[in-house]
Amino acid sequence: MNEPQNRRVAVIGLGAMGGAMAATLHQAGWDVTGFDPSEAARTAAEKSGIGTTDSLSSLAGIPYAVLSLPAAGIVETTVPQLLAEPGTTAIIDTTTSEPATSKRMAELAEIHGAAFIDAPVSGGRDGAATGTLSAFVGATDTALAAAEPVLMALTGGNYSHIGGPGSGNVVKLLNNILAAANLASVGEALGVAKAYGINPATAAASISGASGGSKVSASMYPNWVLTGSHDSGFSMGLMARDAALAVDVAEQIGEKPALLATVANQWQEALAALGPKADFTEIARAVAPAITPAGAPGSTPAA
């Protein structure tokens, strides 16, 4: 990997993930400027030593940009502003976005002599803060090479080049809906275990060492659900959105994943009951309230 001559990078979106990625790049020696429409988000970033701006247009032509945005529509309005001035080398979009959007943005960037890659990430706040995220990359070989210095700083090389533009988005959405399905199914299973008088934590540990085990049973339930903490940092609203989007992307090409559609509907029901700001691990409160101290939606948490 060639070290870039210009280590200026903008991070667009300074929420939980974007703010942590900005801090990681700053600590790695990059000259970081952050942008977020929220003054509170900018202030939090500044406390980490990161320079910020309240003007997205002031970042036009900056050599590198990392996007961490809530939706594909915002990506579509942001990228043209970054490309409005010459000088952009690569835009790394970590947003859980839509493949059609990424294809259009990659084409637009190429017209401007720049690279755009879709690189949605997994690993949560801890991965973002330590530069150990994993990424699903959709890009041409040329675009990936241009973006690699920033991508390496964020992932330590832990990324998969899935294919051309948009392919990273597809696989990330599939990853998320599989996680959504597992969160619901593990909750239901542990609910059955508890009904039989079995400690859910014991059941989860036993299952995790066998063929039904997963990161959900081994880590998410013991750490965030059975403790009642529900503090993963990823929201119910975002997971419900991703599950619905995964089904929508499938249907756009004529696929009809029946089980995944059922999962997406289940998350929409939980979203209606718990609200978008609830932690995504609170799905357990909807599918198996007896196993979590937080209890069913609308109930008073156990003391």
Side-chain angles (χ1 to χ4, degrees), residues 111-148:
I111 291 170
H112 285 79
F116 176 97
I117 72 169
D118 49 287
V121 294
S122 182
R125 292 172 304 187
D126 291 344
T130 56
T132 57
L133 290 166
S134 58
F136 306 87
V137 178
T140 64
D141 290 342
T142 300
L144 175 56
E148 193 173 30

Side-chain angles (χ1 to χ4, degrees), residues 67-73 75 93-99 102 118-122 136 168-176 234 238-239 241-243 245-246:
L67 310 185
S68 181
L69 300 170
V75 173
D93 184 18
T94 69
T95 307
T96 301
S97 185
E98 302 179 29
S102 291
D118 49 287
V121 294
S122 182
F136 306 87
N169 297 139
V170 173
V171 176
K172 173 61 188 301
L173 288 170
L174 294 175
N175 173 80
N176 279 20
F234 189 63
L238 290 177
M239 183 56 104
R241 175 208 66 181
D242 291 354
L245 186 55

Side-chain angles (χ1 to χ4, degrees), residues 29-90:
W30 288 79
D31 179 5
V32 182
T33 303
F35 168 80
D36 196 290
S38 165
E39 182 179 358
R42 296 195 304 271
T43 299
E46 289 165 1
K47 290 179 179 178
S48 299
I50 297 161
T52 68
T53 177
D54 61 2
S55 170
L56 179 60
S57 61
S58 69
L59 298 174
I62 197 163
Y64 296 92
V66 174
L67 310 185
S68 181
L69 300 170
I74 303 176
V75 173
E76 290 211 68
T77 60
T78 298
V79 172
Q81 295 183 67
L82 295 174
L83 296 171
E85 298 289 342
T88 301
T89 297

